[in-house]
Amino acid sequence: MAECHPVGFQWVMEAKARGAKIVHVDPRFTRTSAMADVHVPIRAGSDIAFLGALVNHILTRALDFREYVVAYTNAAAIVTEDFQDTEELDGLFSGFDPESNSYSAHTWRYEGAEAAAAAGQRDPSQTGAEEMAAAGKAAREGGQPETAGSGGPSVPGKPERDETLQHPRCVYQILKRHFARYTPEMVEQVCGISREQFAEVADILTTNSGRERTAAFCYAVGWTQHSVGVQNIRTAAILQQLLGNMGRPGGGIMALRGHASIQGSTDIPTLYNLLPGYIPMPHAHQHQDLESFVAADAGTTGYWGNMAAYTVSLLKSYWGDAASADNDFCFDYLPRLTGDHSTYPTVLAQLEGTCKGYFVVGENPAVGSANGKMQRLGMANLEWLVVRDFTMIESATFWKDGPEIETGELRTEDIGTEVFFLPAASHVEKDGSFTNTQRMLQWHYKAVEPPGDCQSELKFYHELGKRIRAKLAGSNDERDRPVLDLTWDYPEHGPDREPSAEAVLREINGTGPDGAALSSYTALADDGSTACGCWIYCGVFADELNQAARRKPGREQSWVAPEWGWAWPSNRRILYNRASADPDGRPWSERKAYVWWDADAGTWTGHDVPDFVADRPPDYVPPDGARGPDAIGGQDAFIMQSDGKAWLYAPIGLADGPLPTHYEPPESILENPLYGTQHSPARGRIVHPANPLNPDQSEVYPYVFTSYRLTEHHTAGGMTRTLPYLSELQPEMFCEVSPRLAAERGLVNGGWATIVTNRTAIEARVLVTERVRTLRVGDRKVEQVGLPYHWGVNGITVGDSSNDLVHVTLDPNSHIQGKVGTCDIRPGRRPTGPALLEYVEGYRRRAGIASEA
Amino acid sequence: MNDRTFLDLWPVVRQLRSGDLLGRGEAAKSGPTRRLTPRTATADQVVKSVCPYCAVGCGQTVYVKDGAVVQIEGDPDSPVSRGRLCPKGSASKQLVTSPNRVTKVRYRRPHSTEWEDLDLDTAIDMIADRVIDTRARTWVWEEDGKRVRRTMGIASLGGATLDNEENYLMKKLYTALGAVQIENQARI
Amino acid sequence: MKETRLVPDADFDSYYGRPILKGPVWKQPDVSLYFFLGGLAGASAVLAEGAALTGRPELQRVSRVLAAAGITAGIGALIHDLGRPARFLHMLRVLKPTSPMSVGSWVMAPFSGLATAALVSDVTGVLPRLGRTAGIGAAVLGPALSTYTAALIADTAIPTWHEGYRELPFVFAGGATAAAGGLAMVATPASERGPARRLGVMGGVVELAATERMRRRLGPLDEPYRQGRPGVLLRAARALTAGGVAAAVLSPRLPVLARPAGAALATGSLLTRFGLLLAGRPAAEDPRHVVVPQRARLTEPVGTLSG
Amino acid sequence: MSNALYGPVPNVAEQAGYQDPPPRMGFFTDTSVCIGCKACEVACKEWNLVPDDGGPLTGMSYDNTGALGANTWRHVAFIEQQVPARQAVDLGMPGIGAPGAQTAAEPGQDADIRWLMASDVCKHCTHAACLDVCPTGALFRTEFGTVVVQEDICNGCGYCVVACPYGVIDQRKDDGRVFKCTLCYDRIGDGLEPACAKACPTDSIQYGELDVLRARADARLAELRADGEAGARLYGNDPDDGVGGTGAFFLLLDEPEVYGLPPDPVVTTRNLPQIWQRTAMAAGALVVLGVASFLGRRS
Ligand SMILES: Nc1nc2c(c(=O)[nH]1)N[C@H]1C(S)=C(S)[C@@H](COP(=O)(O)OP(=O)(O)OC[C@H]3O[C@@H](n4cnc5c(=O)[nH]c(N)nc54)[C@H](O)[C@@H]3O)O[C@H]1N2
Ligand SMILES: Nc1nc2c(c(=O)[nH]1)N[C@H]1C(S)=C(S)[C@@H](COP(=O)(O)OP(=O)(O)OC[C@H]3O[C@@H](n4cnc5c(=O)[nH]c(N)nc54)[C@H](O)[C@@H]3O)O[C@H]1N2
Ligand code: SF4
Ligand code: SF4
Ligand code: SF4
Ligand code: SF4
Ligand code: SF4
Ligand SMILES: [Mo]
């Protein structure tokens, strides 16, 4: 965190100054470790084993916050008899289809909850046993697990419960059994973490949780970028639920996300599987009309129950008057998914030739995406490519200076891609809002005109849309109706006739029947009377004011600082904050008071906007058959969940199992010590000759590598390798190795090393450092190679890209790439030109992998 | 020391006149030093902004003089960052004013070995044509007997560095065009 | 008061062995040359005045030339060394007693005028009285000009220089007189060479003795004077000076030795300047020279390094 | 007004000729909370338009700027050390040379590591050798008690470079003049915080009135000591030290030399009276030699 979110880290330091204990779990000793009370070096890719053992530690010693657990989590829920755990199936859950490598969640369901097979549910895996497997696969590929970005997926009805937590099939007991084998000894075997250190962390965590104290988890891509990325975070979520750390100040799980508006670009997604506000993109097999699309949620409890209103309002904001009840609000204008159309399959489509045109707008896949070669080969096979950036990034110049040109795999003259490089305007050259990692929107103002041809994306896309519409004007082709009916008239201003970003934000916020900006998504209707571009952002333009531009100085308001920017939903700063009060609505403790029930006023109140129905008393019990928000009970603190509870066990919604399970990374030096199942069975595999994996436990690739960031550089480097002040601070690509590995391989500090995988080999300068520890995993010594991934061929400082080494294997839920693999490392620089191919081939031969062609 | 004589221009004289016999302070100051003003004070516009790098979302204050950015520093009002910036945030001015920025459209013809110049207007027009053409050629109404109403011929990547409003317009336009392979950094 | 203790090699920490101090950025040979020429000029002005007072016109002429040419060339070297030569006159913006360079500048400026005036008057015969007065002025400033450079390098943080502050002025005074005497020996006819020879011999002896004493006191800090190029230069300088002294002593009986003796004395003085100055960089770059004595005085608080 | 060359000075600005100067301003750099982010280095360069002077990778942990210099007015040092396992009491065994050079073996279970980071800067000495030796008055003391080079005056004589006991100030090669931290004289004159301190995410660099900072530092030291951080110490805060105390002082977790700082610097001008005295004696000696050379025979 100190490395990648340094200014956010000031709050960790603040906490430390007040006595907080900081534990840092990372393969390397980083700047964060330097400030931590405890640094826990871990074998990359083994976090579930470590976290799972903490779960086990809590459960076996009954250290959980029982009152919280019973009231707010699904610990008491009973699961059907059909469910079989990894204990029984040696690492698999019930419902696995080896044919499609995917799960059906049917057997994971709650007892008593309807197993209704309503068509078109958000998660189709409950559509009945016959279609289970196929539907599970479709759901996974359709990226539906990710639609849980603002609340869990729906389970219809409420489950049977045993509040004594004794029922053998209640979630609590299932959890106990599932994690029983996650012992400190196992942690030693799997993660290379000593029992003493494990005990210390367990003690710090549990003694700092409870009524008076809370513990928080912060994570980022050290957890997500794995084939079990989502399950890594799920394990932490289980811990936090058991310890009562959710929805409370100083608690929770903080995703330290990436770019300035990565959160915004998920909320208002430029993602294939989502529409704004986590509304899923319709799937061809389930959603042919609006009714089937919203049906699954229409039946459920909680705020997702109003899905129809959100969807219709979105369609109205896209197609305005053209969208009416008569034409299903233009629902049919939406393209449908049939599978996984995420970025890596798109690259496969480029290699196949089906994907012909590519916009790269503010991303640098030639350096940033896993398996850089696949990315470049894909781009070399396009008809046209538009790159919009500040500088000549590698994704714009691959056709003349990519590594494949050097090796002779590609010839510039043979590459038929037509490339447009369009210069982009920077953040000070345009108005707009970023949503930071706390879900907070902050407005930035245009300060100067963009130089030369530079334009904002807003201007470019608006202009592009205008031209396409003009060129298609008069077309009678049904295909063109969505384009021509689009509401696309935004007020323009300034010398370059820049569209008004505020007008767009207002459209996102939504307007009511009278055309005035709405102030809350609760006002959205499903009859076409309201329009709203992103329901969770409704309120950001409340009172016709740009709430994201609010800048009341932090020191002039409470520590929650609610009048700075605007956080979705409803300017709420801590989600599920109802859980900061006990079931009766009283703060768990005075120290930790945040939101509570004011019985006299008959309302929830506190330091933040309560995340609850404002006037719903703690003792409210919804009547049978209640739907939508009406079905939220007074103690259902997790209101976006359809059952109102935090999920220790996920009966639905995950592609790789209801509980986190340790699997070895796709390339591993170990045999899975926990189960006979080596890898995550549902992991996303990208099969292509350019994406070969190293064999497991190969002596040819005996070391683990992992990749990461440096404080001084940013991601693929386009924004830092081009700047003199940052380049001089980290002037060359390097790798970090332990003194023992250096001795073993003859690596010299400051010298060169070549790092080899089945994909290719790269070179880097060497830092020999005690900060990379040799791990004792069982009775063997495990060495890890650390690789920052910021370098490429352009810029002030240039170097080989780590991502040329990284294979593409995806998390099945989020389709995110991995960051670890296995490799060999040798002193000296790598061969250049065609000799590099021969060198890598030599490794392949020795590893016994037949080469393709 | 306000009533300066001509002789006072010579610091040696000032040394003797002021108490600064050793010529350490007051006496040694030069004219430009006396007139020193920070460029934050001489800026003709001060604009509130947000750091463009990472998701922490630190507040920035942008100082503009004669239409150019002269300084970017932390916004002390921000409850997120309290005026602080990391090295990247601190280098933001260089990001914006860097001579390495490419400010002209560049065009590479298929199979060509070089970049060419291209007029911005023409470029956008050509891109619009490419979109229309590719879309027409790759349009699919149905797949496996189900209506899909889309093109798999056009993809887009990027969004996490962009404004919400930009992402909104992008997704809106792409969706209307029937393009579905729209992706950003959330995936990688 | 304790003198500098021995520098033990063990038990010493540093930051990657990096220098703690910055070495001199002075250009070479400019600055060493200036140090030599300034010293030469100052001592020559004294010699010239002596010659004038005692009626030795040849010696007077030669010494006046050495004083004026020395300082002119010296200033040239100095200006060449400056990072911003156009700002040479900024030297006279302030007068700072805390800065040997400032004081030196205020000495050098009038000196150069006076020495030049004295020479011009001597050569042209114009304004002889003023010329003489100028000569006296130069002779008064001369000793300061010859020695302030010692104060200059002693008043730095470089331990090897600073810790030599007791003897350095004598090294420089001796060297300056050795050079002035030596060069005057070379250029003056035998009839008027006596004072030059005696000056050269005495200067050489003082230079040798002071250098020896300084280096002994420096102990381990002497290392930069022993090693590398400075070591070679200083060894050569010592040989030349010692040889020059011996030859000069013998020269009344063996007149052929006079000119070589004078040249050897001057060259010895020149090389001493080079050696001392060039040692500044290695002295600054070795963190041991900073850490070890400082650490030692911290652990034994009674001892002080500089007394 | 004492015009002292050594020892504590109650009011440095007054000593430099200012009447009723504002309080002395300075830095307290608490290295125990430095995360080595180098924001200070970048912010300083951005504000002061300092050129970049990047070289190749140094191999010195994450330090690639090496040292303070004409183009690096803040420099962050990175020190990797092995320390006995989980005992924040001992100084450990600081190493020299490249990290990892000390042991090629794996660290024992009894050895832990720590990574010290510290942002160094000009000390703005009470007795500033650089200033006192400057012949042009380019270096001067401001009303805030700080030490600043005037770019329009400096003639590049280079004297200050060798005078600084901390090796701070240096010449910019292509320019000839010397440069160093100005403690953002322009900014503080306008009531602003220096750029580096403002950027510092963890408040490792604290700017303020020196007296206030010294008190705060004492409290912080006591706190760390109480936490068992036996190696913690203040550096430069003592007006009785060799430079009269510094305007920019530090809290360190190990010996100064480990961070590349001199353990006990003494301002060279402390000996200036003796130096002048010796010089006068030598000049006198020169006169004596001159006179003596005219005694005796005529040729
Ligand atoms: N300076 C800087 N800041 C950034 C960025 C940047 O490029 N530079 N990028 C931004 C972006 S886009 C993102 S997504 C965030 C990412 O922020 P982070 O997730 O903090 O970034 P990383 O450095 O990639 O990974 C964090 C740590 O994970 C460790 N790690 C690797 N493998 C494992 C593992 O298996 N288990 C565990 N426990 N740890 C592991 C690495 O050693 C590394 O120290 O940062 C954002 N902030
Ligand atoms: N091996 C390995 N690979 C990784 C990771 C890892 O940890 N290990 N991390 C992954 C993660 S989390 C991420 S987010 C990616 C990041 O990878 P990328 O997103 O590909 O990398 P960036 O360099 O951030 O690319 C963003 C580009 O957007 C440009 N840009 C900035 N603002 C604008 C704008 O307003 N308009 C336009 N048009 N362009 C703009 C920048 O100049 C920059 O070139 O890398 C991923 N790759
Ligand atoms: S200043 Fe640094 S921490 Fe803050 S938003 Fe920018 S990159 Fe992130
Ligand atoms: S540290 Fe050096 S440069 Fe800074 S004031 Fe002191 S003597 Fe001058
Ligand atoms: S180099 Fe400049 S600042 Fe340094 S002493 Fe010389 S004139 Fe003064
Ligand atoms: S005070 Fe100003 S000049 Fe000095 S280091 Fe900090 S930013 Fe640079
Ligand atoms: S900005 Fe602060 S935390 Fe960062 S390196 Fe500098 S002193 Fe350390
Ligand atoms: Mo990211």
Side-chain angles (χ1 to χ4, degrees), chain D residues 130 133-136 138-139 149 154-160 178:
Chain D
C130 63
V133 303
C134 175
T136 63
L139 272 157
V149 198
C154 172
N155 65 13
C157 77
Y159 198 179
C160 50
V178 299

Side-chain angles (χ1 to χ4, degrees), chain D residues 232-254:
Chain D
R233 77 213 49 214
L234 296 176
Y235 177 79
N237 67 318
D238 181 3
D240 288 315
D241 72 14
V243 298
T246 56
F249 66 99
F250 302 79
L251 188 153
L252 305 177
L253 297 179
D254 204 337

Side-chain angles (χ1 to χ4, degrees), chain D residues 27 40-41 43-45 47-48 50 72-75 120-122 124 180-188 193-197 205 207:
Chain D
F27 281 137
C40 45
E41 288 197 29
C44 174
K45 290 200 164 194
W47 177 255
N48 296 294
V50 181
T72 306
W73 301 357
R74 270 265 172 202
H75 167 251
D120 196 7
V121 70
C122 166
H124 295 275
K180 71 163 191 78
C181 165
T182 68
L183 219 136
C184 284
Y185 184 46
D186 49 353
R187 293 175 66 97
I188 67 176
E193 208 179 341
C196 56
I205 302 175
Y207 162 78

Side-chain angles (χ1 to χ4, degrees), chain D residues 68 121-132 139 141 146-149 160-161 163-170 179-181 243 246 267:
Chain D
L68 290 175
V121 70
C122 166
K123 316 299 176 292
H124 295 275
C125 308
T126 300
H127 299 289
C130 63
L131 190 166
D132 276 349
L139 272 157
R141 191 172 299 278
T146 59
V147 179
V148 176
V149 198
C160 50
V161 174
C164 170
Y166 300 93
V168 169
I169 195 164
D170 203 1
F179 294 86
K180 71 163 191 78
C181 165
V243 298
T246 56
V267 62

Side-chain angles (χ1 to χ4, degrees), chain A residues 6 10 13 31 35 197 200 712 724-725 728-732 736 739-740 749 768-771 773 776 781, chain D residues 34-36 38 41 45 50 53 55-57 59 62 64 80 82 86 98-99 103-104 106 111 113 115 201:
Chain A
Q10 69 177 290
M13 295 302 287
R31 296 181 235 226
M35 295 295 122
Q197 192 157 47
E200 185 181 9
E712 301 87 339
Y725 290 164
E728 69 178 329
L729 298 179
Q730 288 291 8
E732 285 183 83
E736 297 182 296
R740 182 178 168 276
N749 189 58
V768 180
T769 170
E770 307 280 358
R771 292 183 297 101
R773 316 286 305 247
R776 267 186 213 143
K781 292 189 173 125
Chain D
C34 174
I35 55 173
K38 310 180 191 166
E41 288 197 29
K45 290 200 164 194
V50 181
D53 58 352
L57 195 88
Y62 278 9
N64 286 302
E80 303 185 359
Q82 275 199 28
R86 195 68 44 77
T103 41
E106 71 178 302
I113 46 168
W115 202 9

Side-chain angles (χ1 to χ4, degrees), chain A residues 225 259 364 368 388-389 430 457 707 709 715 789 803, chain B residues 185:
Chain A
Q225 288 174 344
H259 287 91
N364 189 4
R388 297 183 42 80
D389 212 293
K430 62 189 183 192
E457 282 14 80
S707 59
R709 293 154 169 75
T715 48
Y789 83 99
N803 270 320
Chain B
Q185 283 90 342

